Amino acid sequence: MTVAQAPALTSGDAGAGPRRHPLSGPATGRPARRGVGRFVGLTPFALYVILFLAIPTILAVTTGFFTEDGTLTIDNVAGLLAPNVLATFGNSFLVSAVTAVVGAVVGALVCYALLGTRAEGALRTTIDSISSVLAQFGGVMLAFAFIATIGTQGLVTRLLAEVFGIDLFASGPWLYQVPGLLVVYLYFQVPLMVITFMPALEGLKITWAEANATLGGTPFTYWTRIAIPVLAPSFIGSLLLLFANAFSSYATAAALVSQGSPIVPLQIRGALISETVLGRENMAGALALGMIVVMVIVMWGYSVLQSRTSRWQR
Amino acid sequence: MSAATRLGAEPGKFTRGVILGLIGAVFAIPIIAMIQFTFRDGLAGDYTLDHWTGLVGEDAARTYRGLLQAVGNSVVLAIVTVGIVLVLLLPTMILVHLQFPKLRRVLEFICIIPITVPAIVLVVGLAPVYGVVVRIFGSGAWTLAFAYGITVLPYAYRAIQSNLDAVPVVTLSEAARSLGADWPTVLRLVLLPNLRRGVLAASFISVAVVLGEFTIASLLNRNNLQTALLQVSQSDPYAAVIFALLALTVVFGLLLLIGRFGAPRNRRTE
């Protein structure tokens, strides 16, 4: 397949790039730009990224170290260790971990079910599209969907009450608290798993199953001795991505949770919009720093595992 | 029965049907509930078409003025964000691909950062930045697109990069150059036609992301589709759910289009 060979060709050519500089070709009389001048073309994007990504990120993680009037302080960051803040981080960890694990297992099951279907077939493209929509379907609309389903007057709530006499809310309005987030987040976690894990599962080679069978193995040994060990790094990597995804999710919780700020993103909101309490905005900075630390560790793990996976996928 | 199924490497038809059917059904319920909700007549359990017909009635334009304006804002934001992707990201990616191969990893790293720095964190630092932006560009709704350009960076990058990897861009442009084409011609007649799929996919996914964005708009006190939906849902939940369904349909259509014409995927296994 020509397209598959293209990347190798391209990178081979590009490796020799500077010497066979296209600008120094015979077609133009213009001299090739050398030195700093060559980089002029990169400046618009570089400036944009500095202004709207680098500066906001730096501001976000450093404001926590200052007081309102600009003097250095450790108070805000030390405030991260306050019991209520720690409890919020605990909630965030719980929601992210549970939805990541359940989402990863269910998503992997869907990927398994899709094994052996044609990648261009109608079934696969439809599930691909649906998964990308649902993985993006966070936020306000997702909250609406679940309020219409298992809210106090939701379709399923009423059905259960009328047909089976089960009261979904016997133990309180859990949908609008942390347990609700567990259910609702799964709705975008599972599709995200399908999107990220499918390429790894596609990389399993039929020859491995044949080798297993030739050597007298059963389907059970194929999965336990070959497929699962090979897929493990990719599975854990995807799981970390799901964790990060839930950990940083804000909109759904903002639209759903009615009282208090049980998870970190909501606590950042609380700190940002309460202008009455002095120095709270800097507390948002400290919380943001805490989040970034977690995100960097998780995403670092993800990229390490991902590069391990791509080694045998080629 | 294929060899892979017999060897136990792939599920049989029955197993596949059960898994996909079950999970599919569970995931369909909330969407069905949303649709059913829009036909509800109060709490009594009757059904009515009023909530849908109300949207096209005479008073609709006045009743939903705020919501319609927010839809307008989101459309403008989507257009400006796609503009940022096309004017800033795309040329930079082509330039790096052609002339700065050593910077490819750096560019990739930069474009992936917005995943690690989520919107809720970025917005803490964006607040002071927008203090300056408003002084320079005014407080028009479109200015939020500067932030959205960053939000869509990972998605747009991936879409364009997979296309760049699949096409021998260097060879093509050198061939065109050696035939006497100048750079604008190379870009217009050689590179862009070859990158059309990636560029389209990047644009569509950017539109989809912008239409769904809530975090930054809400915390910077801006008005877009999602913030308006939340606001309307408090007074007229039916209209809010109808608009949410419509937005969902548009996004699904866009992503289906990507599946059809767009995203050239890496097919390493084939």
Side-chain angles (χ1 to χ4, degrees):
Chain A
M1 186 175 149
T2 47
V3 176
Q5 285 153 1
L9 193 90
T10 319
S11 53
D13 268 2
R19 266 178 290 123
R20 316 205 288 111
H21 199 284
L23 269 177
S24 58
T28 56
R30 274 189 294 160
R33 279 176 290 173
R34 300 270 172 221
V36 190
R38 292 203 306 139
F39 292 92
V40 168
L42 299 177
T43 44
F45 183 74
L47 272 179
Y48 174 65
V49 167
I50 289 172
L51 281 177
F52 289 94
L53 180 60
I55 292 182
T57 307
I58 293 167
L59 282 178
V61 297
T62 50
T63 46
F65 290 103
F66 294 95
T67 62
E68 202 79 329
D69 45 24
T71 47
L72 266 172
T73 175
I74 200 76
D75 288 354
N76 292 314
V77 181
L80 288 178
L81 296 174
N84 67 324
V85 179
L86 281 181
T88 319
F89 269 92
N91 279 337
S92 269
F93 275 118
L94 177 84
V95 170
S96 311
V98 171
T99 62
V101 170
V102 179
V105 170
V106 177
L109 209 60
V110 173
C111 293
Y112 166 73
L114 286 176
L115 267 184
T117 58
R118 283 193 314 116
E120 286 82 18
L123 177 71
R124 185 77 77 76
T125 46
T126 312
I127 292 188
D128 268 356
S129 301
I130 293 179
S131 299
S132 9
V133 176
L134 295 185
Q136 279 297 318
F137 180 45
V140 182
M141 302 190 289
L142 184 62
F144 289 173
F146 273 83
I147 291 171
T149 312
I150 50 173
T152 38
Q153 291 296 330
L155 184 63
V156 172
T157 317
R158 283 176 144 196
L159 266 178
L160 285 177
E162 283 162 21
V163 181
F164 302 101
I166 300 171
D167 181 8
L168 262 187
F169 289 93
S171 54
W174 55 272
L175 179 62
Y176 312 98
Q177 297 161 352
V178 171
L181 296 181
L182 293 178
V183 176
V184 176
Y185 278 16
L186 279 177
Y187 205 75
F188 57 73
Q189 294 282 61
V190 173
L192 182 64
M193 183 66 182
V194 174
I195 300 174
T196 50
F197 192 53
M198 199 61 218
L201 222 68
E202 268 184 330
L204 289 175
K205 295 182 178 51
I206 179 68
T207 45
W208 297 344
E210 286 164 2
N212 171 61
T214 320
L215 295 169
T218 60
F220 180 75
T221 55
Y222 166 71
W223 282 101
T224 52
R225 303 270 182 86
I226 300 170
I228 291 177
V230 158
L231 291 174
S234 167
F235 180 83
I236 307 219
S238 303
L239 195 139
L240 287 178
L241 189 72
L242 261 59
F243 183 95
N245 187 42
F247 193 76
S248 59
S249 178
Y250 164 79
T252 314
L256 199 62
V257 173
S258 47
Q259 280 184 341
S261 306
I263 57 171
V264 183
L266 291 185
Q267 202 155 49
I268 292 183
R269 169 186 68 176
L272 271 181
I273 59 178
S274 72
E275 287 165 1
T276 44
V277 189
L278 212 69
R280 286 289 283 188
E281 195 164 312
N282 302 71
M283 191 60 213
L287 289 164
L289 177 69
M291 270 194 88
I292 286 257
V293 170
V294 175
M295 291 296 288
V296 166
I297 293 172
V298 172
M299 291 306 292
W300 174 77
Y302 168 72
S303 71
V304 168
L305 287 165
Q306 209 58 16
S307 62
R308 271 195 65 163
T309 314
S310 58
R311 220 181 288 160
W312 58 264
Q313 259 188 351
R314 285 174 208 288
Chain B
M1 202 188 235
S2 77
T5 314
R6 216 168 36 244
L7 294 170
E10 284 169 8
K13 268 207 171 106
F14 178 74
T15 323
R16 175 180 304 144
V18 170
I19 296 176
L20 293 183
L22 233 105
I23 297 175
V26 170
F27 272 76
I29 292 173
I31 305 288
I32 295 170
M34 268 175 109
I35 298 172
Q36 190 257 359
F37 181 78
T38 64
F39 294 109
R40 277 196 209 173
D41 192 7
L43 296 176
D46 298 327
Y47 292 98
T48 172
L49 283 172
D50 287 356
H51 308 305
W52 286 86
T53 52
L55 293 183
V56 286
E58 287 171 20
D59 302 334
R62 193 148 24 87
T63 319
Y64 301 115
R65 198 175 48 205
L67 196 53
L68 291 176
Q69 198 194 345
V71 171
N73 284 352
S74 274
V75 170
V76 170
L77 282 169
I79 293 170
V80 180
T81 307
V82 169
I84 289 175
V85 168
L86 297 185
V87 173
L88 286 175
L89 179 64
L90 178 65
T92 307
M93 287 183 68
I94 294 177
L95 194 64
V96 166
H97 200 86
L98 287 178
Q99 301 198 7
F100 304 99
K102 280 180 187 158
L103 291 181
R104 274 189 220 172
R105 296 309 296 260
V106 180
L107 184 63
E108 180 181 5
F109 178 76
I110 291 172
C111 290
I112 303 294
I113 291 179
I115 297 180
T116 311
V117 183
I120 182 70
V121 169
L122 200 63
V123 79
V124 176
L126 272 175
V129 169
Y130 263 88
V132 181
V133 168
V134 168
R135 243 177 285 150
I136 300 172
F137 295 103
S139 57
W142 65 272
T143 50
L144 204 54
F146 288 128
Y148 288 176
I150 297 294
T151 316
V152 302
L153 217 47
Y155 307 96
Y157 172 84
R158 210 170 300 160
I160 298 173
Q161 187 61 40
S162 69
N163 198 163
L164 274 175
D165 285 340
V167 176
V169 177
V170 178
T171 316
L172 282 176
S173 62
E174 283 183 5
R177 294 283 293 154
S178 63
L179 290 172
D182 54 2
W183 275 112
T185 314
V186 174
L187 200 64
R188 193 165 51 87
L189 292 181
V190 179
L191 293 182
L192 286 183
N194 271 296
L195 296 175
R196 201 187 68 231
R197 296 167 133 242
V199 170
L200 269 180
S203 307
F204 286 166
I205 190 84
S206 302
V207 172
V209 170
V210 171
L211 289 185
E213 211 286 327
F214 172 78
T215 310
I216 297 176
S218 156
L219 290 173
L220 291 182
N221 288 319
R222 298 303 186 99
N223 190 19
N224 74 1
L225 172 64
Q226 300 294 325
T227 61
L229 278 179
L230 187 60
Q231 210 169 18
V232 168
S233 74
Q234 271 137 29
S235 56
D236 187 351
Y238 301 104
V241 172
I242 288 176
F243 271 86
L245 279 172
L246 293 178
L248 205 60
T249 314
V250 170
V251 171
F252 183 67
L254 282 174
L255 290 168
L256 213 59
L257 277 179
I258 298 181
R260 278 289 146 73
F261 319 108
R265 307 202 193 99
N266 275 333
R267 295 236 175 273
R268 294 198 190 108
T269 49
E270 283 175 18

